[in-house]
Amino acid sequence: MSSSAIAFAANDATNDGGMIDLHCVPYDSASGLSVDTAHGLQLHLMGSKGLELWCDMSQADPYHHLLDCYRPGYLPYGITRNTNGLFYHHTPVYIGSDAGGSSFVDFQKLANVHPNLGDDTTWMLAVNGAALFKEAYVNTSDWPDYVFLPGYQLPSLDEVENYIKANHHLPGIPSASEMTANGVPLGKTEAAVTKQVEEMMLYIAQLHHEVEDLKDEVKELKEQKGR
């Protein structure tokens, strides 16, 4: 057995202007007709706020939010802007097709790829299929423009060539085996590739100056020969 209740709050400021409270708790046989209020699940539909789904995890965490869907304009704690409405999902999300039944998902080691953030184990979002973006931004705090600073020690081309021969990939770029095991972290990979491009531009500039010097030497030799 279990217990459930639907409560209708009064339309006043104290109760948020008319709230529907759906409260479901398991039945505790040891307590007779009582219910196990320590493991309840509540769905709140509030007139001025929106919708909240939370559960009673423990005395230390009695209002453990699973998701919150707030109306445009409502500003929950810590939020200063809400133009179009806010949706908070506080648990990992799996998006996939239901063809052939639901896939078993534990959000760990999906497709043998391990997240390199958080606990290095759990994905907060898994999409079993293609995802479409109009634009995507990845936070980064170590963009490699330091390559162009005066004190940067540019590796010699001989050093780069020796590294490539020994490791079969560019310095700073993960190997194919690492990419297969861990996936492709977009932010770190883009920064590493940009670093390689910036270093290559410095090599090209060096070679350009060397070529120009050689041209001047050849021109001078031709002039000396023609005298």
Side-chain angles (χ1 to χ4, degrees):
M1 294 180 62
S2 63
S3 174
S4 61
I6 300 177
F8 299 90
N11 187 14
D12 56 31
T14 303
N15 290 298
D16 192 42
M19 180 179 75
I20 299 178
D21 181 0
L22 283 74
H23 187 191
C24 301
V25 294
Y27 174 73
D28 183 5
S29 59
S31 302
L33 295 178
S34 299
V35 295
D36 182 8
T37 57
H39 297 87
L41 184 68
Q42 293 203 25
L43 179 68
H44 291 179
L45 182 60
M46 296 157 285
S48 63
K49 295 182 181 179
L51 179 144
E52 296 177 344
L53 176 64
W54 54 271
C55 59
D56 192 342
M57 301 295 293
S58 65
Q59 289 184 349
D61 189 12
Y63 304 106
H64 186 89
H65 283 238
L66 299 174
L67 61 87
D68 304 299
C69 186
Y70 295 123
R71 296 182 59 179
Y74 174 68
L75 302 178
Y77 178 78
I79 300 299
T80 60
R81 181 176 180 272
N82 177 12
T83 303
N84 301 311
L86 296 175
F87 184 85
Y88 289 89
H89 211 297
H90 305 280
T91 61
V93 178
Y94 176 79
I95 300 175
S97 172
D98 64 352
S102 299
S103 302
F104 176 75
V105 179
D106 59 5
F107 290 90
Q108 296 181 351
K109 303 178 182 178
L110 296 177
N112 297 320
V113 178
H114 311 282
N116 194 26
L117 290 171
D119 61 5
D120 294 335
T121 302
T122 303
W123 296 92
M124 288 305 295
L125 174 64
V127 181
N128 186 15
L132 175 65
F133 298 87
K134 186 175 182 179
E135 181 59 278
Y137 289 84
V138 179
N139 285 338
T140 180
S141 59
D142 191 27
W143 200 247
D145 284 353
Y146 55 81
V147 168
F148 296 136
L149 295 178
Y152 181 72
Q153 297 296 318
L154 183 67
S156 68
L157 284 174
D158 288 335
E159 291 175 325
V160 176
E161 182 181 13
N162 291 333
Y163 182 93
I164 293 173
K165 287 181 178 178
N167 298 279
H168 309 292
H169 62 86
L170 288 169
I173 305 295
S175 65
S177 59
E178 290 178 280
M179 292 289 195
T180 301
N182 301 319
V184 181
L186 296 181
K188 289 183 178 180
T189 302
E190 184 67 21
V193 171
T194 299
K195 180 174 180 287
Q196 292 296 317
V197 172
E198 291 179 344
E199 289 183 340
M200 289 178 186
M201 291 303 299
L202 293 177
Y203 292 131
I204 291 173
Q206 288 180 352
L207 293 173
H208 172 72
H209 292 310
E210 291 178 5
V211 169
E212 291 300 313
D213 290 341
L214 289 173
K215 285 182 178 180
D216 291 339
E217 291 179 13
V218 170
K219 181 180 180 181
E220 184 178 350
L221 289 172
K222 287 182 176 181
E223 291 175 351
Q224 292 177 356
K225 185 177 180 180
R227 291 173 184 172

